Amino acid sequence: MQESFVSAAAQALVLVFVVGPVLGWLKSGAQNESTSKSLNRFTLKTPRTYARVFLGAALAFEALMIFSYAYNGISFGDWDTSLLWLGHALALVSLIIWFIAVMQRLEVDGDVLRYRSIFGRTRQATFSEITRVAKSNQNMLISVYANKKRFASLSGDVTHLNNFYSRCEKEGIPVTARERRPTTIGTLYRSAISVFIGIAAGISGVLIVIVIVLVVAQSASPVLLLDTVPACIALFIIIVGGCSVLPLRGILQIKRQERVLGFSFAREMQQSSARGSSFADQRWFIAVSNCNIIAFRRDYLTAVSTSKTTDSGDECRATAVDGKKHKVRGGAPVLKEFRAWFNCPSPSA
């Protein structure tokens, strides 16, 4: 039985690391759904490309299970039955994600906003009632508040998000970061790796749920669950530990600026009353994007190039006063803001 679980867990991990790159490859197709320039009529929703992937995965898993039933004449050993339970579980998870993706949306029709939640409940408000828009860590979640109460919550991957931000700017609605902790190197680092923590927790949680299903459905020994928990903890540590080195580039860039210009980053953040992982004023530009820390002081830079898309994602080059050229990676919108901040003599905070 333990061998069955190890095999099932290995297949689950393979699927995770295959589906991830596929979604990244399909992102370009999803971006094509956000080409509308209208600020009066557009819809914020999960791109059809993403939804189709999960619906296709659910159908593919179930089709594979049906084929297995027919091929084996509904006669399986313990090892085969465990894999079938895994297939049904993955199909169910994919179907749930697809359902959430197609249900949640925010329609903008002139001055009216109509929001449909993942449970199908609909709400309506006008832009005059919207008090603020809050972006969570790395824009993964967008919360819209009407009359100081939460009106809508959306993923940061929805279509026409830039249209919505532009409309909010036109209406004078503030778009702020949700984090209110003082900005420090530790705050930026925790913000950057929080995505990895969520991914690792999700993978570990799915594996534990699958084992619970096996224990309950097949009367397997509870010892299997006791063996699984330490394995999931080890998996969590490996994923977070391995990926947590990515934000170190941004921290090294901050330390180099401190040496070259002779200042204290912590002291300057206190003087600026900076909070959260997103901050910009005439002196500093700070952001966390795609698990990368972007933090530069204006007088340290002499040039910032336009961003370009590479195999590793979007990036640009920042040239420092000491001749050092820094490779800056992040989301295309953030890199565009970074260059605009550098070229603008009086950027807004």
Side-chain angles (χ1 to χ4, degrees), residues 169-220:
E169 182 179 359
K170 180 180 178 181
E171 299 288 342
I173 300 171
V175 180
T176 60
R178 181 178 296 174
E179 302 98 334
R180 306 313 303 164
R181 294 180 178 179
T183 302
T184 63
I185 289 179
T187 300
L188 297 177
Y189 185 75
R190 287 192 298 270
S191 177
I193 67 173
S194 61
V195 173
F196 299 129
I197 294 176
I199 292 174
I203 295 174
S204 301
V206 168
L207 293 178
I208 291 176
V209 169
I210 290 174
V211 172
I212 292 176
V213 171
L214 292 176
V215 171
V216 174
Q218 297 184 289
S219 300

Side-chain angles (χ1 to χ4, degrees), residues 93-142:
V93 170
S94 299
L95 191 62
I96 291 173
I97 295 175
W98 169 80
F99 180 79
I100 293 174
V102 298
M103 286 298 294
Q104 195 176 36
R105 63 172 55 202
L106 176 64
E107 297 180 2
V108 175
D109 185 6
D111 292 329
V112 178
L113 298 93
R114 300 184 186 90
Y115 173 68
R116 185 177 70 188
S117 70
I118 60 176
F119 302 107
R121 296 180 58 186
T122 57
R123 304 170 192 160
Q124 184 170 303
T126 62
F127 273 102
S128 61
E129 297 174 313
I130 303 300
T131 52
R132 70 185 180 99
V133 176
K135 300 184 293 184
S136 69
N137 177 37
Q138 302 188 54
N139 299 342
M140 297 296 291
L141 181 68
I142 310 300

Side-chain angles (χ1 to χ4, degrees), residues 37-167:
K37 295 183 180 180
S38 173
L39 299 183
N40 292 320
R41 285 179 174 81
F42 54 89
T43 302
L44 285 75
K45 61 181 182 179
T46 303
R48 291 189 301 270
T49 308
Y50 293 170
R52 288 170 179 170
V53 166
F54 288 106
L55 178 59
L59 296 177
F61 283 130
E62 281 305 312
L64 183 60
M65 296 306 101
I66 293 174
F67 173 78
S68 299
Y69 282 126
Y71 182 79
N72 291 277
I74 319 182
S75 176
F76 301 98
D78 291 340
W79 187 85
D80 298 316
T81 306
S82 299
L83 291 183
L84 287 174
W85 274 104
L86 173 63
H88 287 309
L90 291 175
L92 179 60
V93 170
S94 299
L95 191 62
I96 291 173
I97 295 175
W98 169 80
F99 180 79
I100 293 174
V102 298
M103 286 298 294
Q104 195 176 36
R105 63 172 55 202
L106 176 64
E107 297 180 2
V108 175
D109 185 6
D111 292 329
V112 178
L113 298 93
R114 300 184 186 90
Y115 173 68
R116 185 177 70 188
S117 70
I118 60 176
F119 302 107
R121 296 180 58 186
T122 57
R123 304 170 192 160
Q124 184 170 303
T126 62
F127 273 102
S128 61
E129 297 174 313
I130 303 300
T131 52
R132 70 185 180 99
V133 176
K135 300 184 293 184
S136 69
N137 177 37
Q138 302 188 54
N139 299 342
M140 297 296 291
L141 181 68
I142 310 300
S143 298
V144 182
Y145 292 85
N147 297 323
K148 298 183 179 180
K149 294 182 179 180
R150 183 177 297 178
F151 168 70
S153 295
L154 296 162
S155 166
D157 288 327
V158 293
T159 60
H160 302 111
L161 188 57
N162 289 333
N163 299 55
F164 183 65
Y165 286 157
S166 298
R167 181 63 185 272

